[in-house]
């Protein structure tokens, strides 16, 4: 079994659960006219975006070594983490 396969399964499960939570919060917030619940649903969606970045970077990191990457692609996870950090920093600046 490849090393990151279990990681991707866990992240995919988290993505599915987060999507369900997002939809339930959004629909409930709209139905009961609660702006707080609708806003919280969008927070859940931002969690989904970061989960998707983890999923994509984990998939890319599991590629075997090739001629241009003789040690493999494992460091791409760090690039994904940096990208998530920049997104979170941007969101915090935008929302302040």
């Amino acid at each position: 079994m490849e090393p990151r396969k279990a990681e991707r399964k866990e992240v995919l499960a988290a993505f599915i659960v987060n999507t369900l939570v997002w939809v339930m919060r959004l629909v409930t917030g709209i139905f009961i006219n609660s702006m707080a619940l609708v806003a919280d649903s969008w927070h859940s969606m931002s969690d989904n975006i970061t989960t998707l970045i983890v999923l994509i970077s984990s998939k890319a990191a599991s590629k075997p070594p090739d001629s241009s990457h003789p040690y493999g692609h494992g460091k791409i996870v760090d690039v994904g983490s940096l990208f998530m950090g920049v997104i979170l920093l941007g969101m915090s600046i935008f929302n302040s």
Side-chain angles (χ1 to χ4, degrees):
M1 184 162 139
E2 67 179 84
R4 297 193 182 267
K5 190 168 188 169
E7 176 184 304
R8 284 198 310 273
K9 283 184 178 180
E10 292 168 3
V11 172
L12 186 59
F15 182 78
I16 291 168
V17 170
N18 259 345
T19 301
L20 292 173
V21 168
W22 170 65
V23 169
M24 287 188 309
R25 285 181 178 170
L26 183 63
V27 170
T28 304
I30 291 170
F31 184 71
I32 66 172
N33 200 23
S34 169
M35 289 304 293
L37 203 52
V38 171
D40 197 43
S41 74
W42 291 108
H43 177 259
S44 294
M45 180 48 98
S46 71
D47 289 343
N48 252 2
I49 292 169
T50 57
T51 304
L52 192 60
I53 293 169
V54 169
L55 187 64
I56 292 168
S57 63
S58 177
K59 178 72 174 170
S62 66
K63 289 181 183 176
D66 55 25
S67 61
S68 60
H69 301 93
Y71 297 106
H73 297 83
K75 292 293 182 181
I76 205 158
V77 173
D78 296 334
V79 175
S81 297
L82 177 65
F83 185 61
M84 284 190 312
V86 169
I87 288 174
L88 292 173
L89 180 64
M91 288 173 59
S92 67
I93 291 170
F94 178 73
N95 289 324
S96 62

